[in-house]
Amino acid sequence: QVQLVESGGGLVQPGGSLRLSCVASGSIFSIPTMGWYRQAPGKERELVATITRGGNTNYADSVKGRYTISRDNTKRTVWLQMNSLELEDTAVYYCYAALTLRIGGRLSDYWGQGTQVTVSS
Protein backbone atom coordinates (compact mmCIF):
# COMPACT_ATOMS: atom_id res chain seq x y z
CA GLN A 1 0.00 0.00 0.00
CA VAL A 2 1.38 3.38 -1.02
CA GLN A 3 1.51 6.16 1.54
CA LEU A 4 2.59 9.79 1.30
CA VAL A 5 3.32 11.27 4.70
CA GLU A 6 3.79 15.02 5.07
CA SER A 7 5.36 16.98 7.89
CA GLY A 8 6.51 20.50 8.63
CA GLY A 9 3.37 22.58 8.64
CA GLY A 10 2.54 25.07 11.34
CA LEU A 11 1.93 28.67 12.29
CA VAL A 12 4.26 31.38 11.04
CA GLN A 13 4.23 35.15 10.87
CA PRO A 14 4.12 37.01 7.55
CA GLY A 15 7.57 37.13 6.05
CA GLY A 16 8.59 33.94 7.80
CA SER A 17 9.65 30.57 6.43
CA LEU A 18 8.57 26.95 6.67
CA ARG A 19 9.84 23.74 5.13
CA LEU A 20 7.48 20.92 4.25
CA SER A 21 8.59 17.33 3.76
CA CYS A 22 6.86 14.34 2.21
CA VAL A 23 8.03 10.75 2.14
CA ALA A 24 6.56 8.10 -0.13
CA SER A 25 6.49 4.52 1.07
CA GLY A 26 5.17 1.19 -0.14
CA SER A 27 5.72 -1.09 -3.09
CA ILE A 28 6.65 1.57 -5.63
CA PHE A 29 8.56 1.05 -8.85
CA SER A 30 9.02 4.63 -10.02
CA ILE A 31 7.88 8.16 -9.14
CA PRO A 32 8.17 10.33 -12.26
CA THR A 33 6.60 13.37 -10.64
CA MET A 34 6.23 14.64 -7.08
CA GLY A 35 4.80 17.90 -5.95
CA TRP A 36 2.65 20.03 -3.73
CA TYR A 37 -0.86 21.36 -4.01
CA ARG A 38 -2.79 23.51 -1.57
CA GLN A 39 -6.38 24.27 -0.70
CA ALA A 40 -7.47 27.38 1.15
CA PRO A 41 -10.87 27.61 2.89
CA GLY A 42 -13.64 28.06 0.35
CA LYS A 43 -11.30 27.60 -2.61
CA GLU A 44 -10.42 24.76 -4.95
CA ARG A 45 -7.21 22.78 -4.63
CA GLU A 46 -4.46 24.40 -6.70
CA LEU A 47 -1.02 23.52 -7.93
CA VAL A 48 1.88 24.93 -5.94
CA ALA A 49 4.91 23.22 -7.47
CA THR A 50 5.98 19.97 -9.09
CA ILE A 51 9.32 18.35 -9.78
CA THR A 52 10.20 15.48 -12.09
CA ARG A 53 12.59 12.66 -11.37
CA GLY A 54 15.11 14.46 -13.53
CA GLY A 55 14.77 17.68 -11.57
CA ASN A 56 12.57 19.75 -13.86
CA THR A 57 10.39 22.08 -11.81
CA ASN A 58 7.15 23.93 -12.31
CA TYR A 59 5.74 26.62 -10.01
CA ALA A 60 2.50 28.50 -9.66
CA ASP A 61 3.01 32.16 -10.51
CA SER A 62 1.93 33.16 -7.01
CA VAL A 63 4.88 31.36 -5.39
CA LYS A 64 7.66 31.88 -7.93
CA GLY A 65 10.73 33.40 -6.31
CA ARG A 66 9.50 32.53 -2.82
CA TYR A 67 9.12 28.74 -2.82
CA THR A 68 11.64 26.09 -3.82
CA ILE A 69 10.80 22.46 -4.48
CA SER A 70 13.42 19.71 -4.32
CA ARG A 71 13.53 15.94 -4.08
CA ASP A 72 15.76 13.00 -3.27
CA ASN A 73 14.91 10.08 -5.53
CA THR A 74 16.71 7.48 -3.41
CA LYS A 75 14.81 8.58 -0.31
CA ARG A 76 11.52 9.04 -2.18
CA THR A 77 11.25 12.40 -0.49
CA VAL A 78 10.13 15.81 -1.71
CA TRP A 79 10.56 19.10 0.12
CA LEU A 80 8.98 22.51 -0.25
CA GLN A 81 10.96 25.44 1.14
CA MET A 82 8.59 28.36 1.63
CA ASN A 83 10.07 31.80 2.22
CA SER A 84 8.56 35.28 2.50
CA LEU A 85 5.25 33.74 3.45
CA GLU A 86 2.13 35.84 2.99
CA LEU A 87 -1.30 35.73 4.57
CA GLU A 88 -2.64 34.36 1.29
CA ASP A 89 -0.40 31.30 1.59
CA THR A 90 -2.56 29.99 4.41
CA ALA A 91 -3.95 26.63 3.30
CA VAL A 92 -3.77 22.89 3.73
CA TYR A 93 -0.81 21.69 1.71
CA TYR A 94 -1.03 18.27 0.08
CA CYS A 95 1.83 16.15 -1.14
CA TYR A 96 1.29 14.61 -4.59
CA ALA A 97 2.98 11.82 -6.48
CA ALA A 98 2.41 10.34 -9.91
CA LEU A 99 3.90 6.90 -9.70
CA THR A 100 3.95 3.36 -11.04
CA LEU A 101 3.81 0.21 -8.95
CA ARG A 102 5.64 -2.08 -11.41
CA ILE A 103 7.57 -2.05 -14.68
CA GLY A 104 5.25 -0.93 -17.45
CA GLY A 105 2.50 -0.27 -14.94
CA ARG A 106 -0.09 2.44 -15.20
CA LEU A 107 0.78 5.88 -13.89
CA SER A 108 -1.47 6.68 -10.92
CA ASP A 109 -1.96 9.74 -8.70
CA TYR A 110 -1.51 9.55 -4.95
CA TRP A 111 -2.07 12.16 -2.27
CA GLY A 112 -0.95 12.76 1.27
CA GLN A 113 -3.31 13.57 4.10
CA GLY A 114 -2.43 17.26 4.11
CA THR A 115 -0.60 19.54 6.50
CA GLN A 116 -1.89 22.91 7.68
CA VAL A 117 0.13 26.04 7.01
CA THR A 118 -1.17 29.16 8.71
CA VAL A 119 0.36 32.57 8.11
CA SER A 120 -0.83 35.05 10.70
CA SER A 121 0.45 37.97 12.74
Side-chain angles (χ1 to χ4, degrees):
Q1 183 177 358
V2 175
Q3 282 191 313
L4 301 179
V5 179
E6 302 118 329
S7 61
L11 174 65
V12 63
Q13 292 185 340
S17 297
L18 281 175
R19 192 186 196 208
L20 305 182
S21 300
C22 173
V23 181
S25 64
S27 182
I28 299 169
F29 173 69
S30 177
I31 313 178
T33 302
M34 300 187 79
W36 296 90
Y37 284 69
R38 68 186 181 186
Q39 187 167 18
K43 295 187 177 182
E44 293 186 352
R45 190 175 297 188
E46 63 177 3
L47 168 73
V48 176
T50 59
I51 184 167
T52 67
R53 185 176 177 83
N56 293 319
T57 59
N58 179 48
Y59 294 92
D61 289 342
S62 60
V63 307
K64 283 181 181 176
R66 301 189 297 121
Y67 289 15
T68 302
I69 190 169
S70 59
R71 67 184 280 178
D72 184 323
N73 293 328
T74 60
K75 296 180 179 179
R76 295 177 175 175
T77 300
V78 63
W79 296 275
L80 185 68
Q81 178 66 44
M82 305 183 293
N83 298 328
S84 302
L85 283 161
E86 304 170 352
L87 297 176
E88 295 73 22
D89 294 319
T90 295
V92 177
Y93 284 67
Y94 295 91
C95 180
Y96 161 81
L99 56 86
T100 58
L101 302 179
R102 59 187 181 276
I103 298 176
R106 183 183 65 181
L107 195 64
S108 299
D109 295 338
Y110 288 82
W111 297 90
Q113 80 284 356
T115 185
Q116 177 69 47
V117 171
T118 301
V119 184
S120 175
S121 55

